[in-house]
Amino acid sequence: MVEGIASIWRNIPQRYRLEGNYCENCGTAYFPPRVVCVKCRRQGKLKTKIFCGKGKIETYTKVYTAPTGLELEVPYYLAIINLSEGPSILGQLVETDSEKIKIGSNVEFIFRKMREDGEEGLIQYGYKFKIV
Ligand SMILES: [Zn+2]
């Protein structure tokens, strides 16, 4: 499924600079941002937080069949990254050498072109991760 343009614009803060939020009451961090703290409910007070983008690979998989727009990228690796501030997020690794990708490897956020819709279409940018 190709993502709608309204959704692309709405998610730019998350995609461009890992903008999530955290609860001032209990300290729990959320990415993507939440409207209500899961732990504190109405007592929670959520504030915007830009994550540093450093984390570790929790698990990963190799993708051979890509969704629309990513066909030229295959095969590529998708990983669940545990950010140092707490939340786990799904992201593509720029690394393609399976010898270098390990559970527990340190990674960091990088800003990259994600896909484009045709030759004259919208170019989408977002985050990927590289092993450090
Ligand atoms: Zn809370």
Side-chain angles (χ1 to χ4, degrees), residues 23 25-26 37 39-40 44:
C23 176
N25 192 37
C26 70
C37 177
K39 294 179 181 170
C40 306

Side-chain angles (χ1 to χ4, degrees), residues 14-35:
Q14 294 166 37
R15 291 182 173 188
Y16 282 25
R17 56 179 191 230
L18 285 185
E19 186 179 299
N21 58 10
Y22 75 102
C23 176
E24 281 189 325
N25 192 37
C26 70
T28 305
Y30 297 103
F31 186 89
R34 285 186 161 269
V35 177

Side-chain angles (χ1 to χ4, degrees), residues 24-95:
E24 281 189 325
N25 192 37
C26 70
T28 305
Y30 297 103
F31 186 89
R34 285 186 161 269
V35 177
V36 174
C37 177
V38 173
K39 294 179 181 170
C40 306
R41 304 286 178 180
R42 283 189 289 166
Q43 279 73 43
K45 190 172 181 190
L46 294 169
K47 292 278 187 181
T48 297
K49 177 179 181 62
I50 311 284
F51 291 93
C52 73
K54 294 184 188 307
K56 289 183 185 299
I57 296 175
E58 277 185 8
T59 189
Y60 64 92
T61 188
K62 192 172 189 178
V63 177
Y64 292 96
T65 306
T68 305
L70 292 175
E71 298 91 343
L72 296 177
E73 303 254 335
V74 293
Y76 61 88
Y77 288 90
L78 275 181
I80 296 192
I81 310 295
N82 181 240
L83 295 174
S84 59
E85 295 105 328
S88 292
I89 69 173
L90 180 69
Q92 184 179 341
L93 299 174
V94 291
E95 198 71 55

